[in-house]
Amino acid sequence: MEFTIHLEIRRPDRDPKTFEIEPGVYTVGSDPECRIRLPHEEVDSRHAILTIQPDSVWIEDLGSSAGTFVSGNRVRNRVAVKPQEEIHIGPFGLAVRGISVPPPPAAAPAAPPPAPARPATAERAPDVGADPEQDTETRKRQAVKQEIHRELLARLDIKRLTAARIEREDLNKRAKDTITAIVHEVSSRLPSGIREDELIREIYNEAVRLGPLEDLLENEEVTEIMVNGPNSIYVERKGRIERTGMSFMDDSSVLAIIERIVSPIGRRIDESQPYVDARLPDGSRVNAIIHPLSLVGPCLTIRKFSKTPFSDEDMIRFGTLTRDMAEFARICVLLRKNIIVSGGTGSGKTTLLNVLSAYLPPTDRIITIEDAAELRLNQDHVVRLEARPPNIEGRGAITIRDLVRNALRMRPDRIVVGECRGQEALDMLQAMNTGHDGSLTTVHANSPRDVISRMETMVLMAGMDLPVRAIREQITSAVDIIIHESRMSDGSRKVVRITEIVGQEGDQITMQDIFEFTQTGLDASGHVLGRFAPTGAVPTFVEDLAAKGMTINRAMFDPRAASATDTRSAMPRAGLS
């Protein structure tokens, strides 16, 4: 049968308010971060934890000064709340209505009926039968996992323990032991083909880790993971997108995993802030978006980073650039040239920026500035700064621009900005023009020439009413090299141009390409064919090398010498994150 759960909040001096809510764990208190906020001096910042299950309600007092009461009795630990009882916290009265006892879950239907009956539970039922590609065995597995997961919640309220800040190791051990015990108890009723050890691992991953994403994160071939709701998980493998046969139990499972990712780094996601950027401990980039913005359920996108950062040798082996191009980039970094890595989304800009940062001398003081910390530098003297989003009240945001300004007061030798995408471009240009040479950053753009237009637009976003000529003079003076990377049709990433900004003629910035990649076609398998070659242009700063005590083989800029030594056309197919 269908039913909904309502929470009624009453206060003597105001009309009662009723909210439709889902089963789950709700922190109750006066703090804005609490899911149920009761603003009053008698209510502690984190006063209690309200646990709502399909067939029961529990309240736990968190050692509050004024106490929590059920039917006049003070709550000492964790107690069950009967349907007719009311919870009193300070001047507030809370009543939960609509709890019902569901019938025992069926093992699994033999085949999806035309109009499947939903279990008597306030949880959103898993979309069993909604996906025609799911076979009967998959549905059986999902039904068994749901039954065990409900029993796990009844015996061990993981969300409550997490909210109470229990030690992670203790929580994991309790969960593993409880899951193992439940699976052993129902082993005689498990459908054929379901192994106990696999079932324990899957439920454990979904209860306290990242569910089916754990295996994908361990797979070195997978470079991107895309979750489009609980029953649709895609991955990028060797530059190609493919669908997996994996799925979550329901929307709540995906939401729980998103919360596990964003909470440790001080970020949040809820209906008031329904999307978030975050990162995994290894630096992998994460984006999540939920209802009401996503109509297919919670969506999660993870751009994986290699466990071992890529080096220039890896880039050469992947066919992203040649050895001459890598050597030229290294010399530009050592000469303290200001470099912008440009490219489209997913072209590998951050990976290449990480490779370039490896050329920075270990004696330099390096400050990195990012939205979500992804760069991994091996130098000792590195200060990592990360932007902060606004809190639940819309305050306290620290932007990239704020951090760039602050970095100038931190005596940096090098400033590395993960990405310039807005007003911070003006401060970055000013830093480059005021003695902070050798800075590195990335910009979204379709070509080196487009980088100039993007930089002009971003500077104007800072609110400075500057003439275009003045902005271009700033860019010409600040930026030395643009390295443009593209994602090819076969999924491989290649540095298609290395361009030098040489000056300005009138209102136009003059540029010259030093190296370029020319695509010549596709092979029978759809892999890109082409070759890297110098254009014949010699960088204007080559004469400065001797004064710096450095040398360079000028033959690398000669297209005739390059054509005799570099005849490769079919590049490796491995992709970069």
Side-chain angles (χ1 to χ4, degrees), residues 410-422:
M410 297 175 66
R411 200 269 179 209
D413 289 312
R414 308 275 188 150
I415 299 175
V416 182
V417 177
E419 182 181 347
C420 274
R421 61 164 67 94

Side-chain angles (χ1 to χ4, degrees), residues 263-317:
S263 296
I265 60 172
R267 305 202 175 188
R268 64 184 180 86
I269 186 167
D270 50 41
E271 287 194 2
S272 64
Q273 179 65 46
Y275 59 88
V276 67
D277 289 318
R279 55 179 164 78
L280 295 178
D282 65 356
S284 295
R285 186 182 310 167
V286 178
N287 174 268
I289 185 167
I290 63 173
H291 179 80
L293 301 186
S294 170
L295 304 182
V296 298
C299 292
L300 184 64
T301 308
I302 300 176
R303 176 83 55 82
K304 279 180 58 181
F305 277 22
S306 172
K307 289 182 172 56
T308 303
F310 288 124
S311 66
D312 52 2
E313 290 296 329
D314 292 319
M315 304 287 274
I316 294 167
R317 179 166 52 85

Side-chain angles (χ1 to χ4, degrees), residues 50-333:
L50 177 66
T51 303
I52 300 176
Q53 295 179 357
D55 56 354
S56 61
V57 176
W58 298 78
I59 187 70
E60 178 181 3
D61 187 84
L62 296 178
S64 63
S65 55
T68 302
F69 299 84
V70 174
S71 298
N73 297 318
R74 183 161 184 163
V75 175
R76 297 298 178 186
N77 295 304
R78 183 172 183 253
V79 300
V81 182
K82 297 177 182 178
Q84 68 275 15
E85 292 182 320
E86 189 171 283
I87 303 166
H88 291 277
I89 296 177
F92 298 94
L94 284 69
V96 181
R97 309 291 184 229
I99 296 297
S100 177
V101 179
R118 298 172 68 90
T121 168
E123 293 180 302
R124 176 180 169 181
D127 298 329
V128 177
D131 186 350
E133 296 183 10
Q134 281 190 312
D135 58 17
T136 304
E137 289 301 319
T138 302
R139 297 188 200 106
K140 288 181 180 179
R141 193 180 200 90
Q142 289 290 76
V144 170
K145 286 171 63 177
Q146 278 191 304
E147 181 179 354
I148 296 173
H149 198 79
R150 281 196 292 268
E151 182 63 23
L152 173 65
L153 290 177
R155 298 189 189 184
L156 185 72
D157 197 333
I158 293 174
K159 287 186 178 181
R160 180 185 65 82
L161 293 175
T162 302
R165 294 186 173 92
I166 187 174
E167 288 293 332
R168 172 60 59 182
E169 291 184 5
D170 188 17
L171 173 62
N172 292 349
K173 185 178 184 305
R174 289 196 204 180
K176 189 70 171 286
D177 293 344
T178 306
I179 293 169
T180 302
I182 296 171
V183 171
H184 287 336
E185 290 173 12
V186 301
S187 59
S188 60
R189 297 188 285 116
L190 291 180
S192 60
I194 298 182
R195 293 174 48 187
E196 289 187 28
D197 56 342
E198 289 183 359
L199 191 60
I200 292 171
R201 182 174 61 84
E202 289 178 11
I203 297 174
Y204 173 75
N205 284 343
E206 201 148 333
V208 299
R209 300 178 72 186
L210 300 184
L213 304 186
E214 287 290 338
D215 292 336
L216 299 178
L217 290 169
E218 291 296 325
N219 191 331
E220 291 290 343
E221 290 187 345
V222 173
T223 55
E224 193 136 11
I225 302 170
M226 294 150 276
V227 178
N228 307 333
N231 295 318
S232 180
I233 301 178
Y234 289 82
V235 298
E236 181 189 70
R237 200 190 311 264
K238 296 182 179 179
R240 303 286 187 178
I241 294 178
E242 58 188 58
R243 183 167 184 165
T244 70
M246 300 178 176
S247 63
F248 292 88
M249 286 190 294
D250 49 29
D251 283 358
S252 298
S253 298
V254 187
L255 283 170
I257 284 169
I258 292 174
E259 289 178 0
R260 283 183 212 130
I261 292 174
V262 304
S263 296
I265 60 172
R267 305 202 175 188
R268 64 184 180 86
I269 186 167
D270 50 41
E271 287 194 2
S272 64
Q273 179 65 46
Y275 59 88
V276 67
D277 289 318
R279 55 179 164 78
L280 295 178
D282 65 356
S284 295
R285 186 182 310 167
V286 178
N287 174 268
I289 185 167
I290 63 173
H291 179 80
L293 301 186
S294 170
L295 304 182
V296 298
C299 292
L300 184 64
T301 308
I302 300 176
R303 176 83 55 82
K304 279 180 58 181
F305 277 22
S306 172
K307 289 182 172 56
T308 303
F310 288 124
S311 66
D312 52 2
E313 290 296 329
D314 292 319
M315 304 287 274
I316 294 167
R317 179 166 52 85
F318 294 149
T320 302
L321 74 176
T322 65
R323 192 169 299 280
D324 283 347
M325 295 166 73
E327 175 62 15
F328 177 70
R330 185 184 72 85
I331 289 173
C332 289
V333 172

Side-chain angles (χ1 to χ4, degrees), residues 112 304 399 505 576:
K304 279 180 58 181
T399 66
E505 294 181 0
L576 301 178

Side-chain angles (χ1 to χ4, degrees), residues 429 455-456 459-460 466-475:
L429 289 177
M455 294 289 287
E456 292 173 5
V459 169
L460 292 174
L466 299 173
V468 172
R469 182 183 178 90
I471 297 174
R472 290 180 179 173
E473 287 175 351
Q474 288 281 312
I475 295 173

